[in-house]
Amino acid sequence: MRVLLVHERYRQRGGEDATVDAEAALLAGAGIDVVPMIEDNRRIVGNGSAALALRTVWSAESRRAVARMIATHRPDVVHVHNTFPLLSPSIYGAARAHGVPVVQTLHNYRFLCPNALLLRDGAPCERCLGRVVKWPGVAHACFRGSRGASAAVAAMAGVHRLLGTWRRSVDLFLALTPFAERLFVAGGLPAGRLAVCPPVVTDPGAGPAAAGTPRAGALFVGRLSPEKGLETLIEAWRGVDRPLDVIGEGPLADDLMARAPAHVRFLGPQPPDAVSAAMARAELLVFPSLCYENFPLVVAEAMAHGLPVLASSGRAVGDIVEDGVTGTFARPGDAADWRDRAAELLAQPDRLRAMGAAGRATY
C-alpha cells in the first residue's frame, strides 16, 4: 500500500509537525510505502499580501503539484494533515479527479474558527461554530489581530463549504478526540465521514515510568503563549511551595520570567530526550490551557512516562485523563483553584504514584 502524505509545516515546529513525522515513521515501519509531499510556511513572504489571501482560498499551483505527485507515484490514499495557507483545499480536487480517496486529519479547529483555537479574550468562543460566513471572527480580528487576515481564513472555510469541498472531496475526516468530533459535527462536517483517531505517541519505554524512580515537583511543557494559561499557573504557584519547571518558548517568556516566584525555573526549549528526562523526574504535569485544545500531545506523553496530570476542566483533555484515576482537573483561569489543587496533590506522593501507574497502564 502507498500513501501520499501531504503536510504544510509551521514556522515554529510544534506538536502537529512532530505527530506527522511520528505517524510517517509508524506507517513505514509497518511496511507502508509513505511518499511525503511537504510544504513549509517559512516560504511565506508578506503575511498580509492579497496574493497570499487568495492562495489560502485556492491555489492552482498546489493543485497541479498534487496532481503530478499522484500521476508519478500512484498512491492508494492521499492523507492530508495541514493545508494552511499555501497548499489550500484545492488539493482535494486533484485527488478526486484521479479517483484517489482522501483522508484529512483534523489537527486544529481551522475549519470552524479563523484562529483555529475557538478562543477569544482568554475564554472559549463558539460564535463562528456552524456559520458558513464566520463574520464574528472577522469582526473581532481573531486571527493575528487582523481583520484582513481573519477574512482570508474565513473566506477559505466559507467558500469551500459552499462549494461542497468537504462533502464531495474528502472521504474520511479523523478527529483526535470524541470532544473534537462533536465540535466538528456541530460545525457542519458530515457525521458519517468522521472517525476518532488519536495521534501517534512514541513509547519512552518502561524505564522512565518505573515506580521506584525518584520524582519531585511539577512540570509544564508547551508554548509560552496566552492560550496556554501560564499566567494563571504562575500566579497560582505563589502559593505552592514545590518547584515548577517550565519547558518551552513563546511571546510571554520574558513577562512570565519577570513575574514568577523564585522556585519556578524556566528551562527554555528542550530536545525530546531532555523533555522525556524531565517527565521521568517530575511528580505532576500541569496543563492549564484556556482553549479547548484538540489532542494535547504532552498529556499523553506524560501518561506514557507514568506522570499524573492536573489539567483544565471542560476540554478535550477530559477524553484522555480519567478524573481521580490518571489525574484530575482545575478550573481554567482560576489561579486560586489551581493553587489549591496543585498543593493538595503534591502533598500526597502515594496518590500521585498510583495515578502515574494508572496513566502508564492507560497509555
Side-chain angles (χ1 to χ4, degrees):
M1 183 178 184
R2 180 171 294 153
V3 175
L4 177 61
L5 186 152
V6 181
H7 180 54
E8 185 164 334
R9 295 199 185 280
Y10 294 86
R11 288 187 178 184
Q12 184 172 9
R13 180 178 171 85
E16 187 172 329
D17 291 326
T19 294
V20 171
D21 292 343
E23 184 167 300
L26 186 73
L27 291 172
I32 305 297
D33 184 8
V34 179
V35 179
M37 178 180 172
I38 306 297
E39 182 57 273
D40 197 315
N41 280 352
R42 285 175 292 187
R43 286 210 309 117
I44 297 172
V45 177
N47 287 342
S49 71
L52 178 62
L54 289 172
R55 181 165 182 164
T56 297
V57 178
W58 187 274
S59 171
E61 176 188 337
S62 296
R63 182 180 171 119
R64 289 192 296 269
V66 170
R68 287 194 297 269
M69 292 290 287
I70 291 173
T72 300
H73 297 283
R74 300 186 180 278
D76 299 289
V77 176
V78 174
H79 188 177
V80 182
H81 289 272
N82 177 42
T83 67
F84 181 78
L86 298 176
L87 290 173
S88 89
S90 66
I91 66 172
Y92 303 128
R96 181 168 175 264
H98 283 77
V100 182
V102 173
V103 175
Q104 168 71 60
T105 294
L106 300 164
H107 288 282
N108 55 54
Y109 298 115
R110 187 160 282 117
F111 286 8
L112 312 178
C113 165
N115 69 20
L117 295 171
L118 292 169
L119 183 77
R120 183 166 65 86
D121 296 333
C125 174
E126 298 184 8
R127 291 194 63 194
C128 290
L129 190 68
R131 296 181 187 271
V132 175
V133 179
K134 303 189 184 304
W135 63 264
V138 179
H140 291 285
C142 287
F143 181 60
R144 299 192 178 213
S146 164
R147 288 190 175 90
S150 300
V153 185
M156 179 273 292
V159 165
H160 287 282
R161 185 166 175 182
L162 288 171
L163 290 174
T165 300
W166 320 135
R167 176 174 46 82
R168 296 166 56 221
S169 298
V170 179
D171 297 273
L172 180 65
F173 293 95
L174 298 179
L176 304 186
T177 61
F179 178 91
E181 180 186 31
R182 291 189 293 272
L183 285 174
F184 282 113
V185 171
L189 291 189
R193 295 189 188 178
L194 270 156
V196 175
C197 180
V200 174
V201 178
T202 303
D203 188 354
T213 303
R215 292 178 179 267
L219 174 69
F220 171 90
V221 181
R223 181 165 165 74
L224 310 187
S225 52
E227 73 276 6
K228 297 300 183 181
L230 263 294
E231 292 167 297
T232 298
L233 189 64
I234 294 302
E235 180 61 29
W237 228 257
R238 296 183 186 281
V240 180
D241 63 354
R242 299 295 181 89
L244 167 64
D245 285 347
V246 176
I247 292 178
E249 60 184 340
L252 294 183
D254 290 342
D255 181 60
L256 292 171
M257 284 189 278
R259 294 163 49 192
H263 55 297
V264 177
R265 297 194 307 166
F266 289 82
L267 305 180
Q270 297 290 323
D273 57 343
V275 174
S276 178
M279 287 186 171
R281 64 175 179 261
E283 287 183 280
L284 180 68
L285 181 90
V286 283
F287 185 76
S289 181
L290 299 176
C291 63
Y292 283 153
E293 298 286 346
N294 196 346
F295 186 100
L297 202 62
V298 67
V299 170
E301 291 172 342
M303 293 169 67
H305 284 78
L307 179 61
V309 178
L310 174 60
S312 292
S313 57
R315 308 293 190 265
V317 71
D319 290 326
I320 306 169
V321 173
E322 186 176 357
D323 191 14
V325 178
T326 59
T328 190
F329 300 95
R331 290 187 295 273
D334 187 334
D337 194 43
W338 273 87
R339 179 197 63 217
D340 294 345
R341 301 310 299 272
E344 176 189 4
L345 287 169
L346 290 166
Q348 302 177 71
D350 291 342
R351 184 185 180 196
L352 288 175
R353 279 192 291 270
M355 284 181 169
R360 171 66 185 175
T362 298
Y363 165 79

